[in-house]
Amino acid sequence: MIQVNDKDALRVVMRGYRSNSETTAFVPTLGNLHDGHLSLVRKAKEVADRVIVSIFLNPTQFDRPEDLDAYPKTLENDLALLKRENVDLVFLPTAKEMYPDGGTTHVNVGGISEILEGDSRPGHFSGVATVVAKLFNLVQPDISVFGKKDFQQLMLIQRMVKDLDFGIDIIEAPTAREESGLAMSSRNNYLTADQRNKVAPSLYKEMLIIIDAIQKDNHAYQALQNIATANLEKHGFKPDYIEVRNANDLSVAKAGDKNLVVLASAWLGKARLIDNITLDL
Ligand code: PAF
């Protein structure tokens, strides 16, 4: 497994793959890798000759400095996991390498950046879109794999790739879940064992209750959301939102919409959890 820290070295290796006509799939990460990330890497392995992973704790997408400080840094373990997955190339830039003079150009994906996660975390999606655009320009992969767990981020990346003609095929990978149903996330590490095992899975369960009601032809979305919010509060969450949206554009869902997504975000103790389930009627 090749490890590079600087952009020039990365470009040299990528040029080598391209000159051998090898296809490339890229998985960007913030580090603190878990089985969810590894499922993206395995997907990448299935679809391309070479797999490239970046580990970069991008400061510009953290709206709260304490969230950036608290994010677990586990580089040695991350590298061991990637080596075991036979990843070809890992890009590990510093913040100075990525933003040598700060950078004054920002990518803002209109519309969906301002709602839900964008509303709760101002500036977050501009940070994500800008760093992913930079990484795409550096790596220039054929394919990039993103998890469905961050549904809104996935939509934003798909939109950016289309609008800016990156010519990269974006592949989505299903959300990896613990046995309890809890979506895998680095932020689960902030939970106590009791919160993680006994309370956190209720977020997924409340979304499933909404999905079940919709499948039984209940389209009173606002009422379903109100019940789920009250239930989450009873369990000890502080919900940011739990909403039924149109899965094509994230507009508020109306009866008659065929492609739906239930999106939820809630604080539990020190962790802000997010999750979603899509449903095609
Ligand atoms: O989903 C993430 O881990 C990050 O937002 C990403 C895509 C690696 C950009 O920093």
Side-chain angles (χ1 to χ4, degrees):
M1 185 170 83
I2 304 173
Q3 293 173 34
V4 294
N5 303 97
D6 67 281
K7 298 173 191 174
D8 290 339
L10 173 75
R11 285 195 175 103
V12 169
V13 182
M14 291 308 301
R15 229 176 277 136
Y17 295 154
R18 275 189 291 275
S19 68
N20 289 339
S21 304
E22 290 172 305
T23 56
T24 55
F26 172 51
V27 181
T29 80
L30 294 167
N32 189 228
L33 306 184
H34 49 70
D35 276 347
H37 295 105
L38 300 184
S39 71
L40 307 186
V41 169
R42 286 174 201 141
K43 185 89 207 157
K45 274 254 146 210
E46 274 168 37
V47 294
D49 300 322
R50 297 286 188 178
V51 173
I52 303 97
V53 175
S54 63
I55 299 179
F56 177 55
L57 188 55
N58 174 39
T60 68
Q61 69 185 78
F62 285 81
D63 50 310
R64 294 175 309 111
E66 60 278 20
D67 192 21
L68 175 62
D69 292 343
Y71 195 91
K73 286 113 191 143
T74 51
L75 185 58
E76 227 173 279
N77 189 52
D78 293 351
L79 291 172
L81 292 172
L82 295 179
K83 206 164 175 190
R84 213 178 300 152
E85 296 297 326
N86 293 316
V87 164
D88 296 284
L89 170 62
V90 186
F91 180 45
L92 301 152
T94 59
K96 188 120 192 74
E97 180 70 8
M98 286 302 281
Y99 305 109
D101 51 10
T104 55
T105 305
H106 304 283
V107 180
N108 290 306
V109 182
I112 56 172
S113 287
E114 313 305 327
I115 55 175
L116 301 163
E117 282 305 283
D119 187 35
S120 300
R121 303 181 64 189
H124 168 65
F125 280 131
S126 172
V128 170
T130 304
V131 79
V132 173
K134 282 168 70 70
L135 289 166
F136 280 177
N137 281 331
L138 290 165
V139 177
Q140 298 184 20
D142 298 301
I143 294 165
S144 189
V145 185
F146 285 81
K148 225 174 135 187
K149 150 96 174 18
D150 295 301
F151 188 81
Q152 196 174 354
Q153 169 174 284
L154 171 66
M155 284 190 83
L156 178 112
I157 300 297
Q158 283 166 331
R159 182 79 218 188
M160 178 184 81
V161 163
K162 193 166 168 220
D163 286 350
L164 298 183
D165 294 310
F166 274 102
I168 297 170
D169 194 5
I170 303 299
I171 293 191
E172 58 182 66
T175 303
R177 297 189 180 278
E178 297 184 1
E179 236 172 80
S180 64
L182 176 66
M184 287 186 187
S185 164
S186 302
R187 283 164 176 104
N188 295 348
N189 292 326
Y190 307 161
L191 299 169
T192 63
D194 260 16
Q195 284 171 336
R196 187 169 182 151
N197 298 326
K198 297 189 183 147
V199 189
S202 301
L203 188 64
Y204 182 53
K205 285 185 191 132
E206 287 301 327
M207 293 193 303
L208 284 176
I209 292 171
I210 295 181
I211 293 282
D212 186 53
I214 299 172
Q215 280 172 327
K216 290 184 174 131
D217 233 13
N218 180 347
H219 300 284
Y221 299 140
Q222 187 60 55
L224 293 171
Q225 291 169 194
N226 292 346
I227 295 167
T229 305
N231 286 345
L232 287 174
E233 283 168 352
K234 246 181 264 159
H235 290 304
F237 287 91
K238 283 201 191 91
D240 267 354
Y241 57 81
I242 176 157
E243 293 196 22
V244 187
R245 295 270 173 151
N246 183 311
N248 298 315
D249 57 9
L250 291 187
S251 60
V252 173
K254 303 176 297 301
D257 285 350
K258 295 281 173 234
N259 310 116
L260 298 173
V261 56
V262 179
L263 301 128
S265 165
W267 283 93
L268 180 61
K270 292 197 177 107
R272 184 171 179 278
L273 305 177
I274 67 169
D275 202 349
N276 69 83
I277 308 178
T278 50
L279 172 67
D280 293 330
L281 294 176

